[in-house]
């Protein structure tokens, strides 16, 4: 769990060219799902390349609490001895999901149609985030919930002992909500149907099919219609977790703004539901190329090569692209400050309910660093100053949000004065090797105020 200990102030100062190979850790979304789906099989799932960040470690602990045997074999190799669909045991204690919205929402879905009771909590960030978006559809299966005002954690779910299947149109573009409903549908008899108007990351659908569930996807006038047959016997799998495009975003964006840089980020998934940032950066004129394009585990993968790009320009990032880069807007906003002209980001109100209100957190930090930002509920604009023209020299609150902390550390690599964050400890939730990895490329990040 992050953010429960002593704050770790961090400072990032202008550095020489970033050079070398940045091997980022495993994908966070796929890591959570590997553990949860592994726990829902009878037999042993083997996982390599699991992200060993706090968020995923909290999910591993939770799966043990529900009765699965989760073993760390070292070096990113894990195994899960599952209990089968409907086989979760009632946990003896409270399930603490730390900072992880994905962890808590997917686990709520996975237990919601089993006749057990579980109480969930998390850190101050997670306890401020809305859970009604998940507990509302779970109620349709027959799950009961008692939580704090506004549908906040801590919260107790009484699973439906006799669940009914549901048909649910997801009202917000959220892979977490979609996934929670699908995981709940696993233990309901008959067909559970989830409809999303905008495509969000599709790892749950792909992995459910991989684990042997009967799942069909149709594109209709209503949107993406996902039909899952309930009560399958899931088959244990051997999973190689690909590297995380959302973590790759940080060394890629750093290389684009630090003069003379040339960084290779190998083995990054370019699943279209995740790769929106890279498309956007290329439209802005970034020198970002895909090398050695290939298919791995059914997913398009490439080595990303990012070189210093002093001539980037602002663009309008369309709302239709938001879901495919929802976690990447903080670091895109940093790149936008070093481009010329306005970068206009539309259809992004989901950013306001992430680990922090990311529009507000970024706007405050960017303004303190001398960059103009305009914002509305569902949009924001960064007015670029151009390469080498960003003053910096601010201390920014990371608000228990790993991506806010990392975005400002990237920014400080190319600002005129250093950038500080009050607490870099949340970085361990998703990218525990961020500091050493960036250091090896040539960054100047220290763990104290400048
Ligand atoms: C995730 C979905 C996204 C994303 C989060 C991971 C997932 O959240 O922000 O970091 O693994 O399903 P939403 O589904 O709430 O947009």
């Amino acid at each position: 769990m992050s953010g429960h200990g002593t704050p770790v102030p961090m400072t990032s100062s202008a550095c020489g060219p970033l050079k070398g190979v940045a091997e980022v850790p495993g994908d966070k979304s796929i890591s959570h799902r590997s553990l949860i789906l592994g726990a829902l099989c009878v037999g042993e799932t083997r996982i390599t390349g699991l992200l060993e960040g706090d968020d995923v470690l909290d999910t591993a602990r939770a799966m043990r609490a529900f009765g699965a045997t989760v073993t760390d074999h070292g070096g990113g190799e894990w195994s899960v001895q599952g209990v089968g669909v409907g086989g979760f045991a009632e946990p003896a204690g409270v399930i603490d999901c730390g900072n992880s919205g994905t962890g808590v929402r997917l686990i709520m879905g996975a237990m919601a149609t089993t006749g057990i009771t579980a109480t969930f909590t998390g850190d101050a960030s997670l306890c401020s985030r809305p859970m009604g978006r998940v507990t509302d559809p779970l109620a349709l299966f027959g799950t009961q919930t008692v939580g704090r005002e506004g549908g906040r954690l801590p919260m107790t779910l009484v699973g439906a002992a006799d669940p009914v299947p549901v048909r649910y149109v997801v009202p917000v573009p959220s892979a977490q909500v979609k996934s929670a409903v699908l995981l709940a549908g696993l233990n309901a008899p008959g067909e559970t149907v989830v409809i999303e108007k905008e495509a969000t990351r599709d790892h749950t659908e792909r992995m459910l099919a991989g684990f042997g569930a009967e799942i069909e996807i149709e594109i209709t006038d209503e949107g993406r219609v996902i039909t899952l047959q309930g009560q399958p016997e899931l088959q244990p799998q051997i999973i190689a977790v690909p590297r995380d495009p959302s973590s790759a975003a940080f060394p890629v964006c750093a290389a684009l703004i630090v003069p003379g840089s040339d960084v290779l980020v190998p083995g990054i998934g370019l699943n279209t539901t995740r790769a929106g940032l890279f498309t956007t950066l290329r439209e802005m004129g970034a020198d970002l190329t895909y090398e050695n394009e290939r298919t791995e585990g059914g997913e398009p993968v490439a080595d990303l090569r990012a070189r210093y790009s002093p001539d980037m320009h602002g663009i309008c990032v369309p709302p239709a692209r938001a879901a495919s880069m929802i976690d990447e807007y903080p670091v895109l906003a940093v790149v936008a400050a070093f481009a010329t002209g306005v970068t206009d980001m539309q259809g992004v109100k989901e950013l306001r309910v992430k680990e922090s209100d990311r529009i507000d957190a970024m706007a405050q930090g960017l303004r303190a660093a001398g960059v103009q930002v305009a914002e509305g509920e569902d949009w924001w604009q960064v007015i670029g100053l151009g390469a080498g023209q960003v003053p910096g020299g601010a201390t920014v609150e990371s608000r228990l949000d790993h991506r806010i902390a990392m975005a400002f550390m990237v920014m400080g690599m190319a600002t005129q004065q250093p950038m500080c964050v009050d607490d870099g400890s949340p970085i361990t939730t998703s990218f525990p090797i961020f500091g050493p990895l960036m250091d090896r490329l040539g960054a100047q990040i220290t763990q104290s105020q400048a």
Side-chain angles (χ1 to χ4, degrees), residues 28-29 33 102 173-176 201 326-327 354:
K28 180 155 71 71
S29 295
R33 287 160 173 80
T102 307
S174 168
Q176 294 176 356
R201 66 191 68 195
I326 196 67
D327 291 335
K354 294 294 177 189

Side-chain angles (χ1 to χ4, degrees), residues 64-129:
R64 288 189 188 114
F66 282 103
T69 304
V70 182
T71 310
D72 174 4
H73 299 279
E77 286 200 34
W78 289 66
S79 63
V80 185
Q81 193 75 42
V83 292
V85 169
F88 272 2
E90 189 162 273
V94 173
I95 303 296
D96 189 340
C97 289
N99 191 249
S100 181
T102 307
V104 76
R105 291 179 175 137
L106 268 54
I107 297 167
M108 282 178 171
M111 62 73 60
T113 48
T114 306
I116 58 172
T117 296
T119 299
F120 296 88
T121 192
D123 69 6
S125 157
L126 193 58
C127 286
S128 72
R129 298 178 68 184

Side-chain angles (χ1 to χ4, degrees), residues 220-293:
T220 71
D221 291 346
E222 259 188 306
R224 231 174 134 253
V225 180
I226 308 157
T227 306
L228 174 74
Q229 301 297 330
Q231 300 180 323
E233 200 169 300
L234 298 182
Q235 302 302 318
Q237 297 299 301
I238 294 175
I239 301 172
V241 179
R243 298 184 197 279
D244 197 327
S246 298
S247 295
F250 295 99
V252 162
C253 289
L256 300 179
I257 62 172
V258 174
S261 297
D262 184 350
V263 170
L264 188 75
V265 190
I268 300 302
L270 293 177
N271 177 323
T272 50
T273 64
R274 294 291 297 280
L277 173 73
F278 306 128
T279 306
T280 300
L281 292 171
R282 283 155 61 119
E283 285 178 5
M284 292 172 77
D287 186 350
L288 172 62
T289 50
Y290 302 159
E291 300 187 351
N292 192 15
E293 286 184 63

Side-chain angles (χ1 to χ4, degrees), residues 18-25 243-244 247-252 255 262-268 303-304 431 433-434 436-438 440-441:
L18 299 171
K19 299 259 182 192
V21 178
E23 294 192 323
V24 302
R243 298 184 197 279
D244 197 327
S247 295
F250 295 99
V252 162
D262 184 350
V263 170
L264 188 75
V265 190
I268 300 302
D303 303 336
L304 305 183
F431 199 164
I433 59 166
F434 174 78
L437 180 143
M438 295 308 306
R440 270 200 303 278
L441 296 177

